[in-house]
Amino acid sequence: MVEKIITLENVSLVEFLGPDNQNIRQLAAAFPGSKIISRGNEIKIQGQTAVISRINDILSALLEHYHQYGQITDKTVSQFLSSADEDLDEARMAASPDVILFGAKGGVIKAKTANQQRLVDTVLKHDLVFALGPAGTGKTYISVALAVRALKNKEVKKIIISRPVVEAGESLGFLPGDMKEKVDPYLRPIYDALEDMLPPEKFKFYLENKTIEIAPLAYMRGRTLNNAFVLLDEAQNTTPSQLKMFLTRMGPNAKVMVNGDRSQIDLPTKQKSGLIQALDILQGVSGIGFVEMTAEDVVRHRLVKQIVQAYDKFDVQQQQDQANRPVREYRPSYQRRQDEIAHHDPGKHPDARREDDGTQPLPVNQEQ
């Protein structure tokens, strides 16, 4: 028999354990082959390893629920107890409706700002959503969490995440390794988000059996994406033809998200962004959701919000300066040359002399 002790910190014992420890008694009654003893702020569990692990998971979920809502009822305990191991996350989300997902380490993943919540609600109502906003607003993280939730809830059969591979000052050819090793750094933010949300073994399994695909945008050509949650990240770096190609991959029972940041376009100067064009073309199409995020939604370091605001202010000032700049009349080069000849002042030539400058003309050689 194995023993484990859980210490309750920053918890009101009466609200967590219930009157006369009824919540713990209810939990103990569900596992008759084990012992659950509450003394002070400690809960002692004795039993087989697998059972102790299951009880520990339920207690952890109950603690998360308590810290969010401030109380535990017998109905909450019953909800968690009635769930099988693989459905524990779904039970926790049912008890906490504003939670998108519980991460690999039990952390709560949910919208932190009004616009993030608006993004979550828009994805639930629309099959195609454009999420726009500056860096740090959680577009990618929230999108990946929604994709993982859809997979866990069996709403889709797979997750497909893509982004264009556009060089931002560096050249792929100078990076070491094969093509996968060259491209993976561009996809690293997506891997990081998924590793936060899925246990390592399950994440590896999903990658191996193609339940989760992470690939450059060029790999999407020619495919029809059915029964999938599809995310295109960094869409501001797509060309018009690339984005049109991606949007037309959408198959039956597919959810598609397109994320982008207008202020971070890494395309060549004369190349138009496919995202900017698509926003103009698709704005009036019914059934497509658009969510605009701002610097107020930045959830990174506090300085990131100030940096984004400073750059926004600079961009606005530049636009005003360009609008106020006088427009010079265009004249062909030959016309400019004729004007120069017409207004030519011989007196300005360095060899020219004034008639009244007092100097005598040079003598002329009359010799034959």
Side-chain angles (χ1 to χ4, degrees), residues 4-11 13 39-44 56 59 63 67:
K4 181 178 178 63
I5 296 177
I6 298 175
T7 302
L8 303 177
E9 297 179 352
N10 302 319
V11 170
L13 297 179
R39 290 181 180 174
N41 68 334
E42 291 185 347
I43 298 177
K44 183 186 293 186
N56 182 67
L59 283 172
L63 281 169
H67 285 304

PDB file of all heavy atoms in Angstrom, residues 4-11 13 39-44 56 59 63 67:
ATOM      1  N   LYS A   4       0.291   8.922   0.148  1.00  0.00           N
ATOM      2  CA  LYS A   4       0.601  10.243  -0.389  1.00  0.00           C
ATOM      3  C   LYS A   4      -0.098  11.293   0.470  1.00  0.00           C
ATOM      4  O   LYS A   4      -1.242  11.112   0.874  1.00  0.00           O
ATOM      5  CB  LYS A   4       0.138  10.361  -1.845  1.00  0.00           C
ATOM      6  CG  LYS A   4       0.449  11.727  -2.474  1.00  0.00           C
ATOM      7  CD  LYS A   4       0.002  11.761  -3.917  1.00  0.00           C
ATOM      8  CE  LYS A   4       0.264  13.127  -4.556  1.00  0.00           C
ATOM      9  NZ  LYS A   4       1.696  13.477  -4.606  1.00  0.00           N
ATOM     10  N   ILE A   5       0.607  12.382   0.757  1.00  0.00           N
ATOM     11  CA  ILE A   5       0.044  13.477   1.561  1.00  0.00           C
ATOM     12  C   ILE A   5      -0.042  14.729   0.701  1.00  0.00           C
ATOM     13  O   ILE A   5       0.936  15.136   0.067  1.00  0.00           O
ATOM     14  CB  ILE A   5       0.899  13.748   2.817  1.00  0.00           C
ATOM     15  CG1 ILE A   5       0.890  12.524   3.742  1.00  0.00           C
ATOM     16  CG2 ILE A   5       0.383  14.974   3.562  1.00  0.00           C
ATOM     17  CD1 ILE A   5       1.771  12.679   4.966  1.00  0.00           C
ATOM     18  N   ILE A   6      -1.219  15.327   0.671  1.00  0.00           N
ATOM     19  CA  ILE A   6      -1.453  16.569  -0.073  1.00  0.00           C
ATOM     20  C   ILE A   6      -1.693  17.687   0.934  1.00  0.00           C
ATOM     21  O   ILE A   6      -2.550  17.567   1.825  1.00  0.00           O
ATOM     22  CB  ILE A   6      -2.667  16.433  -1.009  1.00  0.00           C
ATOM     23  CG1 ILE A   6      -2.401  15.338  -2.046  1.00  0.00           C
ATOM     24  CG2 ILE A   6      -2.967  17.760  -1.695  1.00  0.00           C
ATOM     25  CD1 ILE A   6      -3.587  15.061  -2.935  1.00  0.00           C
ATOM     26  N   THR A   7      -0.920  18.748   0.827  1.00  0.00           N
ATOM     27  CA  THR A   7      -1.062  19.895   1.734  1.00  0.00           C
ATOM     28  C   THR A   7      -1.883  20.975   1.051  1.00  0.00           C
ATOM     29  O   THR A   7      -1.596  21.371  -0.080  1.00  0.00           O
ATOM     30  CB  THR A   7       0.320  20.463   2.111  1.00  0.00           C
ATOM     31  OG1 THR A   7       1.092  19.428   2.726  1.00  0.00           O
ATOM     32  CG2 THR A   7       0.172  21.622   3.092  1.00  0.00           C
ATOM     33  N   LEU A   8      -2.926  21.438   1.730  1.00  0.00           N
ATOM     34  CA  LEU A   8      -3.804  22.472   1.201  1.00  0.00           C
ATOM     35  C   LEU A   8      -3.282  23.840   1.627  1.00  0.00           C
ATOM     36  O   LEU A   8      -3.153  24.109   2.824  1.00  0.00           O
ATOM     37  CB  LEU A   8      -5.237  22.275   1.714  1.00  0.00           C
ATOM     38  CG  LEU A   8      -5.876  20.911   1.419  1.00  0.00           C
ATOM     39  CD1 LEU A   8      -7.261  20.824   2.052  1.00  0.00           C
ATOM     40  CD2 LEU A   8      -5.950  20.660  -0.076  1.00  0.00           C
ATOM     41  N   GLU A   9      -2.971  24.685   0.667  1.00  0.00           N
ATOM     42  CA  GLU A   9      -2.448  26.022   0.950  1.00  0.00           C
ATOM     43  C   GLU A   9      -3.399  27.072   0.382  1.00  0.00           C
ATOM     44  O   GLU A   9      -3.927  26.915  -0.720  1.00  0.00           O
ATOM     45  CB  GLU A   9      -1.053  26.195   0.342  1.00  0.00           C
ATOM     46  CG  GLU A   9      -0.017  25.246   0.921  1.00  0.00           C
ATOM     47  CD  GLU A   9       1.349  25.414   0.285  1.00  0.00           C
ATOM     48  OE1 GLU A   9       1.435  26.167  -0.714  1.00  0.00           O
ATOM     49  OE2 GLU A   9       2.315  24.814   0.775  1.00  0.00           O
ATOM     50  N   ASN A  10      -3.574  28.157   1.124  1.00  0.00           N
ATOM     51  CA  ASN A  10      -4.447  29.266   0.711  1.00  0.00           C
ATOM     52  C   ASN A  10      -5.856  28.772   0.395  1.00  0.00           C
ATOM     53  O   ASN A  10      -6.472  29.163  -0.597  1.00  0.00           O
ATOM     54  CB  ASN A  10      -3.857  29.991  -0.511  1.00  0.00           C
ATOM     55  CG  ASN A  10      -2.477  30.543  -0.250  1.00  0.00           C
ATOM     56  OD1 ASN A  10      -2.210  31.081   0.825  1.00  0.00           O
ATOM     57  ND2 ASN A  10      -1.580  30.400  -1.219  1.00  0.00           N
ATOM     58  N   VAL A  11      -6.355  27.889   1.242  1.00  0.00           N
ATOM     59  CA  VAL A  11      -7.666  27.285   1.037  1.00  0.00           C
ATOM     60  C   VAL A  11      -8.461  27.372   2.341  1.00  0.00           C
ATOM     61  O   VAL A  11      -7.931  27.071   3.420  1.00  0.00           O
ATOM     62  CB  VAL A  11      -7.540  25.807   0.605  1.00  0.00           C
ATOM     63  CG1 VAL A  11      -8.885  25.114   0.627  1.00  0.00           C
ATOM     64  CG2 VAL A  11      -6.925  25.715  -0.784  1.00  0.00           C
ATOM     65  N   LEU A  13     -10.688  25.623   4.607  1.00  0.00           N
ATOM     66  CA  LEU A  13     -10.966  24.189   4.760  1.00  0.00           C
ATOM     67  C   LEU A  13     -12.463  23.900   4.767  1.00  0.00           C
ATOM     68  O   LEU A  13     -12.907  22.888   4.212  1.00  0.00           O
ATOM     69  CB  LEU A  13     -10.316  23.679   6.049  1.00  0.00           C
ATOM     70  CG  LEU A  13      -8.784  23.781   6.096  1.00  0.00           C
ATOM     71  CD1 LEU A  13      -8.256  23.262   7.431  1.00  0.00           C
ATOM     72  CD2 LEU A  13      -8.159  23.000   4.950  1.00  0.00           C
ATOM     73  N   ARG A  39      -6.792  15.770   7.953  1.00  0.00           N
ATOM     74  CA  ARG A  39      -6.368  16.272   9.263  1.00  0.00           C
ATOM     75  C   ARG A  39      -5.750  17.654   9.073  1.00  0.00           C
ATOM     76  O   ARG A  39      -4.709  17.780   8.426  1.00  0.00           O
ATOM     77  CB  ARG A  39      -5.344  15.336   9.906  1.00  0.00           C
ATOM     78  CG  ARG A  39      -5.943  14.015  10.357  1.00  0.00           C
ATOM     79  CD  ARG A  39      -4.905  13.138  11.003  1.00  0.00           C
ATOM     80  NE  ARG A  39      -5.478  11.866  11.448  1.00  0.00           N
ATOM     81  CZ  ARG A  39      -4.764  10.852  11.951  1.00  0.00           C
ATOM     82  NH1 ARG A  39      -3.437  10.974  12.051  1.00  0.00           N
ATOM     83  NH2 ARG A  39      -5.371   9.745  12.323  1.00  0.00           N
ATOM     84  N   GLY A  40      -6.419  18.646   9.619  1.00  0.00           N
ATOM     85  CA  GLY A  40      -5.926  20.004   9.457  1.00  0.00           C
ATOM     86  C   GLY A  40      -5.934  20.394   7.980  1.00  0.00           C
ATOM     87  O   GLY A  40      -6.936  20.227   7.290  1.00  0.00           O
ATOM     88  N   ASN A  41      -4.793  20.892   7.529  1.00  0.00           N
ATOM     89  CA  ASN A  41      -4.697  21.282   6.115  1.00  0.00           C
ATOM     90  C   ASN A  41      -4.008  20.209   5.274  1.00  0.00           C
ATOM     91  O   ASN A  41      -3.504  20.487   4.194  1.00  0.00           O
ATOM     92  CB  ASN A  41      -3.958  22.610   5.984  1.00  0.00           C
ATOM     93  CG  ASN A  41      -2.498  22.501   6.355  1.00  0.00           C
ATOM     94  OD1 ASN A  41      -2.125  21.614   7.141  1.00  0.00           O
ATOM     95  ND2 ASN A  41      -1.665  23.381   5.823  1.00  0.00           N
ATOM     96  N   GLU A  42      -3.996  18.979   5.780  1.00  0.00           N
ATOM     97  CA  GLU A  42      -3.390  17.864   5.043  1.00  0.00           C
ATOM     98  C   GLU A  42      -4.430  16.798   4.737  1.00  0.00           C
ATOM     99  O   GLU A  42      -5.313  16.511   5.543  1.00  0.00           O
ATOM    100  CB  GLU A  42      -2.245  17.240   5.839  1.00  0.00           C
ATOM    101  CG  GLU A  42      -1.025  18.134   5.972  1.00  0.00           C
ATOM    102  CD  GLU A  42       0.127  17.426   6.670  1.00  0.00           C
ATOM    103  OE1 GLU A  42      -0.096  16.341   7.266  1.00  0.00           O
ATOM    104  OE2 GLU A  42       1.255  17.956   6.617  1.00  0.00           O
ATOM    105  N   ILE A  43      -4.301  16.232   3.531  1.00  0.00           N
ATOM    106  CA  ILE A  43      -5.141  15.096   3.132  1.00  0.00           C
ATOM    107  C   ILE A  43      -4.216  13.924   2.856  1.00  0.00           C
ATOM    108  O   ILE A  43      -3.329  14.012   1.996  1.00  0.00           O
ATOM    109  CB  ILE A  43      -5.976  15.424   1.886  1.00  0.00           C
ATOM    110  CG1 ILE A  43      -6.935  16.578   2.167  1.00  0.00           C
ATOM    111  CG2 ILE A  43      -6.746  14.197   1.421  1.00  0.00           C
ATOM    112  CD1 ILE A  43      -7.751  17.008   0.965  1.00  0.00           C
ATOM    113  N   LYS A  44      -4.409  12.847   3.600  1.00  0.00           N
ATOM    114  CA  LYS A  44      -3.571  11.654   3.444  1.00  0.00           C
ATOM    115  C   LYS A  44      -4.336  10.608   2.631  1.00  0.00           C
ATOM    116  O   LYS A  44      -5.489  10.290   2.937  1.00  0.00           O
ATOM    117  CB  LYS A  44      -3.200  11.088   4.806  1.00  0.00           C
ATOM    118  CG  LYS A  44      -2.264   9.875   4.735  1.00  0.00           C
ATOM    119  CD  LYS A  44      -2.048   9.269   6.119  1.00  0.00           C
ATOM    120  CE  LYS A  44      -1.276  10.219   7.018  1.00  0.00           C
ATOM    121  NZ  LYS A  44      -0.939   9.569   8.325  1.00  0.00           N
ATOM    122  N   ASN A  56      -5.490  11.753  -6.732  1.00  0.00           N
ATOM    123  CA  ASN A  56      -4.679  12.963  -6.776  1.00  0.00           C
ATOM    124  C   ASN A  56      -5.117  13.872  -7.927  1.00  0.00           C
ATOM    125  O   ASN A  56      -5.198  15.106  -7.772  1.00  0.00           O
ATOM    126  CB  ASN A  56      -3.209  12.589  -6.923  1.00  0.00           C
ATOM    127  CG  ASN A  56      -2.310  13.813  -6.935  1.00  0.00           C
ATOM    128  OD1 ASN A  56      -2.183  14.509  -5.925  1.00  0.00           O
ATOM    129  ND2 ASN A  56      -1.684  14.094  -8.062  1.00  0.00           N
ATOM    130  N   LEU A  59      -8.418  15.538  -6.893  1.00  0.00           N
ATOM    131  CA  LEU A  59      -8.176  16.587  -5.897  1.00  0.00           C
ATOM    132  C   LEU A  59      -7.536  17.823  -6.525  1.00  0.00           C
ATOM    133  O   LEU A  59      -7.866  18.960  -6.181  1.00  0.00           O
ATOM    134  CB  LEU A  59      -7.298  16.044  -4.761  1.00  0.00           C
ATOM    135  CG  LEU A  59      -8.006  15.157  -3.730  1.00  0.00           C
ATOM    136  CD1 LEU A  59      -6.990  14.533  -2.782  1.00  0.00           C
ATOM    137  CD2 LEU A  59      -9.033  15.970  -2.946  1.00  0.00           C
ATOM    138  N   LEU A  63      -9.124  21.512  -6.557  1.00  0.00           N
ATOM    139  CA  LEU A  63      -8.397  22.689  -6.071  1.00  0.00           C
ATOM    140  C   LEU A  63      -8.418  23.809  -7.107  1.00  0.00           C
ATOM    141  O   LEU A  63      -8.598  24.991  -6.761  1.00  0.00           O
ATOM    142  CB  LEU A  63      -6.955  22.304  -5.729  1.00  0.00           C
ATOM    143  CG  LEU A  63      -6.744  21.606  -4.383  1.00  0.00           C
ATOM    144  CD1 LEU A  63      -5.327  21.031  -4.293  1.00  0.00           C
ATOM    145  CD2 LEU A  63      -6.980  22.596  -3.229  1.00  0.00           C
ATOM    146  N   HIS A  67     -10.046  27.506  -6.460  1.00  0.00           N
ATOM    147  CA  HIS A  67      -9.311  28.762  -6.593  1.00  0.00           C
ATOM    148  C   HIS A  67      -9.982  29.698  -7.598  1.00  0.00           C
ATOM    149  O   HIS A  67      -9.827  30.922  -7.515  1.00  0.00           O
ATOM    150  CB  HIS A  67      -7.866  28.491  -7.014  1.00  0.00           C
ATOM    151  CG  HIS A  67      -7.001  27.960  -5.903  1.00  0.00           C
ATOM    152  ND1 HIS A  67      -6.842  28.608  -4.704  1.00  0.00           N
ATOM    153  CD2 HIS A  67      -6.263  26.822  -5.808  1.00  0.00           C
ATOM    154  CE1 HIS A  67      -6.037  27.921  -3.912  1.00  0.00           C
ATOM    155  NE2 HIS A  67      -5.670  26.822  -4.559  1.00  0.00           N
TER     156      HIS A  67
END
